[in-house]
Amino acid sequence: MLPGLKRVVPECSANDLHRPSEIGGTAYGTEPAGGTGADQTVFTAAKAAFCVEPRCRVIDRITLGHGDLQPPHLVRVIAGTCLAPRPERPVCIVLPSVELLAPLAAIVAAIEHLASDLPAELADYPTKLTPGTRVRLCSTGEVFEVGEFSRSLNALALHLTDKRNRTSNGKRFVFADQLALFEPTTRILPKGGSGTAFARPHMTDLDAVLGTRFFSNSGLVRTRVLVQGSRTDFQRALDGLKIRPLSGDPEAAPIASGFPFGGFGDDGVPRVTRPDGAAGRPLVATARDLSEMRRYCDGSEPGSCLVLTDRIDGVLADLDLAGRIAERQRLVVLVDAKRREDLAPLRRQRWTVWEPTPSEILGRETPTFTTGCPGTTRSLRAAEAERFRAPGYLTSAAPHVGEIDKMIERIGGLLDNECVEHEPWVEDVLAATRGAFFAAGSWLGPPTGARLEMIEADLRVLQTEAPRMRWHLGAEAGTALIDLAEAVVAFRSSIEAAGVSPKGRSLLELAANANGSGRKPVFVAGNRQNREEADVFLRANGLDQRCLAIPDLHGLDETASVIAFSVMQRDLFHRLVDPWPRGTVLFLGYAYEVDCYRRRLLRREELRARGRLDPTRRLALTGVPDEFFGNDEPLAEAASPSEEDERLTKFDRVTRDRSSSKRVTLPSGRPGEELCDVTVVRFVGRSILPMTAEHTSLVLGAAKGRASVSSARVGDLTVGSRIVVRDGGDRDIVRIIAEGQVGTATYADLRRRANLWQVALRSSDCDPQEIAAVLREQGVVRYLVTVRSWLVNDDMIGPRSEQDFRAIQEAFPLRGRGAREWDDCWKAIGDLRSLHVLAGNSLTERLAARCGRMLFEPSDTEMAVDLGIGTVWILEVSAIEDAIRQCPASHANRLIWLDQEWRQRLLAMPVQHEAA
């Protein structure tokens, strides 16, 4: 103990002052810090206590998934692209699947940057610990307050915050090499006292990957990696990717437990949200759109940040913003290959659009298909399958159906007029045209029931609107609609006379031949409706053969034989061929369908060729030497994309679903009714949902092959998300199930007891900004959208953190409500949340039992599901509007149908159980 220490530290023991050797020196593989002269620069020991390579090559120190498998070549290429020097242009990488690849690349890049930044951050760390700053001990969480630096001791004073020592100005001193044990915090509890042992945290997997102790201290972090997406999605990815050190303690805490991440505050500064209460900076900051991170990118040193996104729709919506960000920082966009046709605007803006070849994806190593990352696994499987890709074609002869195709081409040629094409009534005509065309082409037998009613409704629209088409576009346009309707009716009559369609007959022959050979082919239809019809059709003809949905193809092996039919529609075709399925693929269809398949595959190859890079550009982009890539055929000059294919262009013009681009008018409210700011979410079919920022919806997800439900706000939704909405009423289906499990009275009592915290906030008469400011004084920092949701969301159960709850109790006391009532409220919140978890599990079980694979397969409509306790809708997001609109409060957060007749037809055929 140094002389005089006892006098300046009341109620401290000899253990309160730790020597540099306890946290530096041999314990960390470095030499102890030097002497402690008064003129020594402040905390020179801090940097000496850590030894980090400028680049620790994280990719060589980790494994992915279960087992000891190192990351495959593809992950090394993506990580290299993220870490290479900033290119002159933004980068877009096209892969068969990018699921979870952006979070994976972000984690690897963030750890790599941390290893490089850590020495300098340690040297600067003392300057961040200014007097009055609250810090917490990383190992146990006790909170202290930073005091003055003592040059005579070369140590920093920490004021004790417990009540007894705070009044006596109790303090303890910390040497320079101990400072990393203390993290800046917003918390004020638990209070640190004289008995707190300054123990080191246990070694973590993150420490093992870094090759040094980091203590998960967000105060040592400089935010360099920004990801467009929700914090919830990133947290799930971080927890689920199973990144482990190549060598380390198997009992050590996983990387996810010590990885600080977060988002952007209202001031545009990155803030840590996990671990809770950390006041440093996140290794990865997420933002729901690029505009949220714009301020930070502009204020950071050029080239110091990596911006990652796999949300191509957000990029395409504001290319100018993406370009401005890329002028200062490195912007990397990861895109599923099924979206390659949407990337023409990027090329026009001179982006680097790279689609790696199969050999560039696989590299020279033997591919391992179990990688722990879905996007990597599917991309490797698809790359292997592409090497042996040899699609076949089988044509079904049908005279009448050819006339239908000719009418579609005629209509497509007449609609090359943007003013007319975007007229609402023309969009309705095109919807009917599309419905009639695809319905006729998918018939296996005579249409009956609800499907017959839907085709007849479409035909009525064509006949009714023909005069208006003739008036605006000429006689030929009106005649084309009438001819199309007559051709569909004639084709239907021929099927009714034969009892089976030509395509149905071909399907039966293929299935019968396969049964005779003992090897069953895999039949694949484009969407749920076509698959259901095929299942019924095959079963009715005595064949034990089921049709698969497109997502089911991911698990096929190379011996499978895939027969695809009714996948002409552009988005369905792209879902089928990207990622390319393993095994042989045979396209079955009428002559015009087979011609369309050939043309689409030709365009696909032309666009893939345009996405190739020569070895010099590839090396500059990825930093990965040529010898690590596999051998491809010589790079030939890429052909121009088949935009001159007028036949395909006309076809897509007529059959493209325009519902996501059609502006909808929100309902009017009552006179004087309050208006809410909403974001309009559009769904596949004819429905929309105007969502406020704080509203949460039930979102369907799939983990380890099982369905699950979770809550998400509008900012967490993306195109393709599937949500569950109850048909009619204000209460969500989970609440109804929860009430049924415990009884209405018990549930109402739980809600009443759990609502005390919300009553306290609302009784304060404070707005969200004022509440956030008061809670900040209590050590709780929350985003305004969270505080606003606490105030207005009646479905909110309670704060997830007990520290948040206790801060509300302290800052907003209620007269006549003491500690007993508040403790009971916290218990009720826990009970209610557990009950809702059980109800959510029950919901997923019911949905799985009734829908099975239908939950996630493509569909042209909303799906009504009869749960026995009510009907719910499974809705697939088709678009999310960028602009904020105003909506009457009575219609906000409610499902709105654009066509009530459409809704009634769907309700007439709800899913009660999956087709057997």
Side-chain angles (χ1 to χ4, degrees), residues 445-519:
T448 59
R451 288 182 173 83
L452 178 59
E453 292 178 7
M454 295 183 79
I455 187 65
E456 288 178 342
D458 287 333
L459 294 178
R460 283 196 297 271
V461 171
L462 298 181
Q463 293 166 341
T464 302
E465 296 294 342
R468 185 158 24 174
M469 284 285 282
R470 185 179 295 111
W471 173 264
H472 287 276
L473 294 178
E476 186 178 358
T479 302
L481 286 187
I482 297 296
D483 291 347
L484 173 62
E486 291 177 351
V488 171
V489 171
F491 183 49
R492 187 183 72 192
S493 298
S494 68
I495 296 175
E496 290 171 342
V500 63
S501 74
K503 182 185 290 185
R505 188 177 296 108
S506 298
L507 202 63
L508 292 176
E509 292 174 358
L510 288 170
N513 293 337
N515 281 342
S517 67
R519 180 182 175 187

Side-chain angles (χ1 to χ4, degrees), residues 304-341:
S304 63
C305 295
L306 163 69
V307 178
L308 264 170
T309 180
D310 55 9
R311 297 189 174 186
I312 184 60
D313 291 299
V315 173
L316 292 173
D318 197 343
L319 274 176
D320 289 340
L321 174 60
R324 289 194 294 271
I325 289 176
E327 288 175 359
R328 289 186 63 86
Q329 310 299 346
R330 185 174 187 81
L331 174 60
V332 177
V333 181
L334 303 177
V335 181
D336 284 324
K338 63 187 178 185
R339 299 294 304 275
R340 68 167 65 84
E341 287 198 25

